[in-house]
Amino acid sequence: MKRFLLTTGAFLAVGCSGALTAPSGDGTVPLGEGPVTLAACQKAPITAAAAQLRRLSSEQELNSVRDLLADPAAAPAYVSHSGGIITEREVEGMALAAQELISRKGHVRYAPCKTDGAHDLACAEGFIRAFGKAAFRRPVEESEVEVLLTTYKKARDTAGVSPAVTFSESLGVVAQVILQSPSHVYVVERGVPDDSLPESVRKLDGFERASRLSYLFWNTTPDAALLSAAESGALDTPEGMRAAASRLLDDPRAQQALRRFASRWLELDGTQKHDALEGVPKEATRFPQDSATLRQAMREELVSLYAYSFGQPGDAFQTLMTSSRAYVNKSLAGLYGVKNGPTSDTQFQWVDLNKDQRSGLFTRAGFLALQASNEFSSPIRRGVFLYRNVLCESLDNPPPTVDDTPIKPGVTGGPMTVRALTHERTRGASCVGCHDRVNPLGYTLENFDALGAWKSGDVVKDGSQDVTLPVDVTATVDAGDLQATLAGGNALAARLGQSQRARDCHVSKWFEQAFDRKPVREEACSVLKVQEQFRADGDLRSLLLTLASSDAALYIGEAQP
Amino acid sequence: MKQRFSRRLVLRGLGGLGIGLPLLQFQNALAATPQVAKRFIVFFEHGGTLSNNAGDKKYSGNGAENGVDAWAPSTFGEALDPGPIHQPLAAHTDSLLLLRGIDNKAGRRQGSYGGNHYTANCTAMTAADVTPFDLSGKFENGDLRSKGRSLDQELADRLNIRHPVRIPCVSLGIWGHNYGTPFYRKSLEQLWGEESPSKAWTSTLSGVTPSGSQPDPAVLRAQALKKSVLDGTGESLKLFQNRLSSQDRQTVEAHLEHIRSLELRLSKESVPLSAVCNPPKNSGLTDGAAYPAYGNAQVDIMLAALRCGLTNVCTLNIGDMLTTFLNPLYRTDLGHSLDHAAREVGKTGTEANRYNDWYQTMLDNRKWRMSLLARFLDGLKATPEGDGTMLDNSVILWTSEFSFGANHSSADVPVLLAGKGGGAFRTGRHIDFNTEAAANPATLKYKTNKSTHNLFTSILNAFGYPDTHFGNAMADYQGPLPGLG
């Protein structure tokens, strides 16, 4: 299984017809090698990623057990810390978490009898089938019932303890086993054969599709309605999937998926390179208005703008990139200079920002403050983010020998603007290759200081004096399909709103969240089709519905032997 | 040393490739080797130390090439004269063996820049080949996995045959920024230490009572139920395995092995506890706790696990800066890690006025790390064993993936041994394998053919295992390090 590059847009390249091979019996033409194009996709047979076992993330695990046990306050101390093969510490953590969860008795609602009485084998079996179905996200197979019933009996018959193990304790043991069962902990997709599909492709069954939808939109285990839909065959068609996806998206729980997407995409929870938005330090003397409350408001504003744009009919992406609407409390309104805004920090309301200064997501304080240093704005950090996360352009890391001290005019360089010092520090021959692409994007945002407030000049030290040097926000941008001289953040925002590369990139980012990995070559056509639609309509809701009913969501390849 | 190998076993060259071989081969080694080390402990610090090594040379400490060697001893003679970082260990000088001039050759040969983050971490305790890890596609470019297991795991399995214990290796950690664990259970399989003292206590010491006291019936009942849960989970995994492709079966096999290991812990509740067992109460601290109490709690759990005879091997994985230890001003502004600022804040660097503060912050952090080792050595030394103390029969290794973190240098990595290793090591000494240092101990030239491969071989030998090699084929020099005994 080859991974194809979404980051470079290489698969969008035209003129690859030579890669097509001869039509097969059913009139389809396999994709062959080389870049994948939409034209080739129209004629290509259905392909799908090879099946691979996937473990629920800690967040998915937590949401799932809370829902399974109808216990929203449950907070088992289990953390998955490694993306690879499960570690002993994780297995032990799971065991402790299961013990803790079951002690809260949420599982007893699955028992068809009173659980504080005498041992009852039939009731134990009923419990296994009911709780097992909910936890495994599909009916329990007979061989599994057998193993779990044996577990029940062994617990019941434990030797050497007095008094004897109770019915309730035995069910607790079974429930703990169910919560640690691979059928719960891992997402298994085997699919079913279908005559209309190529030999190597299988159709995901209704329950497997239900899990995909549920973890995509709610990041939790399927609810009863979704499992019923799976059982009834309602998810067997793309239309049925779209309808089910639509129901899930209309549920308030889908807001969590949007918030989670925005937080990850915007790196609000931190990366290897920087702390979370609430943790990045700012120099107090320079930014007396900074506070923990302000940081929380910044996060709230960004994710709210994402959710707001998502709900807009029509070109939601354009709205996201260019809207001047903002959800603010008193502190944030103060930073933005909004008059007649909220009068307290606990009160948030939608306001219109000064359209001459701020349009779109990337003119907002949360982004601007996160991608800045302690004292000064950082065209490099802002540019790198836009280049990588918004345009999906690839960029190597700088070598470790590079001088990566922050740009501090008057301190780590002469009394000049941030932009001038940035230019001076990155004009070396080994730097310009990347920085000529990255820096100009950041230069257009030089009207915003390290906390995200509007600035018209840089205040820098000249000897013992503070001097104010006017900023220059006009830059010639050469990044992806942004090839223009742009004057300021609004000009950048307008271009991003129209950028096909930014739209393609956004689809890729959603794919990564939905499938918890990058797409593989067999999924290229699904991605391209969603991208084609999103380029044209910019409709975020439609993006998700199309993704949820795409071949990538409906089918699975044979597992690699 | 020679008589230690009087009974030849057919083990030549197996080294770190012991994976999959029947470990029974090691069972009889002890009979012929009455005086060998009994326990192995690793303190691993991420991000390197205050070093001036730049790969094939050392920095003078001026200008853009700033780098200061606070890891070096104060004087360069064979008698150890602790340097700035080692001051917290001054009372234990007689128990230390400071080894300089050792490269992580596996890291240097496989990594760009002489050993980038991922390569350096993967190889630091394995000396193995590395391979890209991008199965899920969600990792940053460059993330790698080791293809070999780490020395601690190799020894944990061997020693567990010679002296069966409840927990083959107690793996703990102190939370902080890092680019991957140096510890590998086996090829590709990372091992991450428990970073919450509270959870570590539960996992290691729960149910362990001071010697002589009766076990609590409620604890016994809970253990019986826990055994039922583990049995059932194991059966579920076995059933599940049959339905999978071979690649996925491997994933589930690892899961099943961990369940078995937890079962084994339960089944060894009856292992007699050592007479000096006096476990601490659960500190209740989490991985967000303040550093001094947090670190001390982890060290105390390791000490108790050894004293109570619960394990033969312990590891402590100490995360780097970007943690609560650090002055917030340094958290992003001086690069993504304080180490990286080493060159720029230098005496003539771009922020020279911050040099003193930077140096003190780094030194305080590294000395704090050393205070953990001091506490640990205090504990072992206070625990009688045979004619001496537990420290006499232990090998403690302190190391890191880098020497000079700012330069990502895996040359001249920090290597500090403590404990006599049952007589294998002559301590209280300093040995520099930098061949350029023979003529001038203070030289800025640097050259060595010694590698962690050789160090790890020496450690295996100290335990009476006659291995002649550990790790991959990238060592320039073969066999154990000379002159340690």
Side-chain angles (χ1 to χ4, degrees), chain A residues 3 51-53 77-79 81-89 91-92 94-96 99 138 141 143-144 147-148 151 154-155 158 161-166 169 172-173 176-177 180-183 185-186 188 190 271-275 279-281 283 372-375 381 397-406 408 411-412 425 516-518 559-561, chain B residues 113 118 133-141 145 167 177-179 185 187-195 199 202-204 220-222 224-226 228-233 235-237 239-240 243-248 250-252 254-255 258-259 261-262 265 322 328-336 340-341 343-345 350-351 353-354 406-408:
Chain A
R3 190 168 308 290
Q52 199 185 359
L53 206 58
Y78 162 68
V79 179
H81 52 83
S82 113
I85 298 170
I86 197 164
T87 65
E88 187 172 320
R89 181 175 143 207
V91 170
E92 189 181 13
M94 262 185 211
L96 290 171
Q99 196 179 1
R138 58 164 172 76
E141 290 172 9
S143 55
E144 293 170 326
V147 163
L148 291 167
T151 299
K154 277 189 183 166
T158 305
V161 294
S162 176
V165 172
T166 64
E169 283 175 323
V173 165
Q176 288 181 57
V177 170
Q180 294 174 76
S181 277
S183 300
V185 174
Y186 297 96
V188 195
R190 282 181 295 174
T271 68
Q272 288 275 30
K273 311 280 185 218
H274 63 75
D275 215 331
V280 290
E283 203 160 81
S373 73
N374 292 4
E375 294 173 62
R381 292 183 200 185
N397 287 319
T401 49
V402 79
D403 173 1
D404 63 355
T405 49
K408 293 186 188 178
V411 179
T412 61
R425 285 269 291 272
D516 205 22
R517 57 172 170 76
K518 290 189 185 341
Q560 289 181 326
Chain B
Y113 323 126
Y118 295 113
F133 179 79
D134 195 22
L135 296 178
S136 73
K138 64 185 170 185
F139 294 90
E140 281 188 49
N141 279 344
R145 291 291 184 272
I167 311 171
H177 184 70
N178 69 76
Y179 288 88
R185 181 73 193 108
S187 174
L188 310 181
E189 194 180 327
Q190 288 186 321
L191 193 153
W192 290 87
E194 177 56 64
E195 290 169 345
K199 285 195 216 166
T202 304
S203 162
T204 314
L220 291 179
R221 185 180 188 87
L225 293 175
K226 200 170 158 188
S228 294
V229 173
L230 288 172
D231 284 349
T233 307
E235 291 304 317
S236 297
L237 281 160
L239 181 68
F240 186 77
R243 316 154 62 176
L244 299 173
S245 69
S246 61
Q247 189 187 333
D248 291 342
Q250 202 181 338
T251 307
V252 175
H255 194 149
H258 300 320
I259 291 283
S261 146
L262 296 180
R265 271 194 224 181
L322 277 188
L329 269 185
Y330 290 104
R331 282 163 69 180
T332 58
D333 245 20
L334 288 176
H336 50 270
H340 263 287
R343 295 181 311 272
E344 293 82 34
V345 299
T350 46
E351 288 197 77
N353 60 328
R354 298 177 87 158
N407 213 39
H408 293 189

Side-chain angles (χ1 to χ4, degrees), chain B residues 17-299:
Chain B
L17 305 173
I19 310 158
L21 290 171
L23 287 160
L24 287 171
Q25 294 176 88
F26 301 114
Q27 199 155 27
N28 295 324
L30 189 61
T33 55
Q35 274 299 92
V36 293
K38 291 181 175 169
R39 50 191 77 82
F40 181 52
I41 302 95
V42 183
F43 284 75
F44 191 90
E45 61 170 330
H46 282 270
T49 187
L50 272 157
S51 160
N52 62 352
N53 185 283
D56 295 324
K57 62 173 180 176
K58 296 184 181 191
Y59 289 142
S60 66
N62 290 314
E65 290 203 332
N66 180 56
V68 58
D69 194 352
W71 176 266
S74 292
T75 54
F76 297 112
E78 189 181 356
L80 180 59
D81 181 4
I85 286 183
H86 300 126
Q87 286 309 313
L89 298 170
H92 295 288
T93 306
D94 286 351
S95 306
L96 305 176
L97 179 55
L98 178 64
L99 303 178
R100 295 164 71 232
I102 297 174
D103 289 358
N104 169 3
K105 299 272 188 207
R108 293 197 72 185
R109 299 267 152 81
Q110 295 176 86
S112 51
Y113 323 126
N116 62 26
H117 281 296
Y118 295 113
T119 319
N121 279 298
C122 285
T123 51
M125 285 302 302
T126 65
D129 291 350
V130 299
T131 186
F133 179 79
D134 195 22
L135 296 178
S136 73
K138 64 185 170 185
F139 294 90
E140 281 188 49
N141 279 344
D143 195 4
L144 302 169
R145 291 291 184 272
S146 166
K147 290 172 81 174
R149 74 192 319 199
S150 50
L151 178 68
D152 51 295
Q153 294 305 301
E154 180 66 23
L155 270 171
D157 283 350
R158 292 195 196 182
L159 292 173
N160 193 35
I161 287 166
R162 184 185 284 176
H163 179 60
V165 284
R166 196 176 293 171
I167 311 171
C169 175
V170 171
S171 307
L172 306 184
I174 291 176
W175 185 86
H177 184 70
N178 69 76
Y179 288 88
T181 174
F183 302 113
Y184 277 77
R185 181 73 193 108
K186 56 172 78 156
S187 174
L188 310 181
E189 194 180 327
Q190 288 186 321
L191 193 153
W192 290 87
E194 177 56 64
E195 290 169 345
S196 152
S198 176
K199 285 195 216 166
W201 187 93
T202 304
S203 162
T204 314
L205 301 175
S206 171
V208 175
T209 43
S211 33
S213 56
Q214 288 299 312
D216 180 348
V219 170
L220 291 179
R221 185 180 188 87
Q223 280 171 351
L225 293 175
K226 200 170 158 188
K227 182 173 186 317
S228 294
V229 173
L230 288 172
D231 284 349
T233 307
E235 291 304 317
S236 297
L237 281 160
K238 276 187 228 161
L239 181 68
F240 186 77
Q241 258 187 324
N242 300 330
R243 316 154 62 176
L244 299 173
S245 69
S246 61
Q247 189 187 333
D248 291 342
R249 260 202 298 278
Q250 202 181 338
T251 307
V252 175
E253 180 58 39
H255 194 149
L256 194 52
E257 258 182 47
H258 300 320
I259 291 283
R260 287 191 187 117
S261 146
L262 296 180
E263 281 180 320
L264 211 61
R265 271 194 224 181
L266 271 181
S267 73
K268 286 191 181 157
E269 291 298 324
S270 59
V271 171
L273 296 176
S274 144
V276 289
C277 179
N278 185 22
K281 288 197 166 43
N282 190 343
S283 66
L285 296 172
T286 67
D287 56 12
Y291 266 22
Y294 174 16
N296 291 348
Q298 296 290 62
V299 167

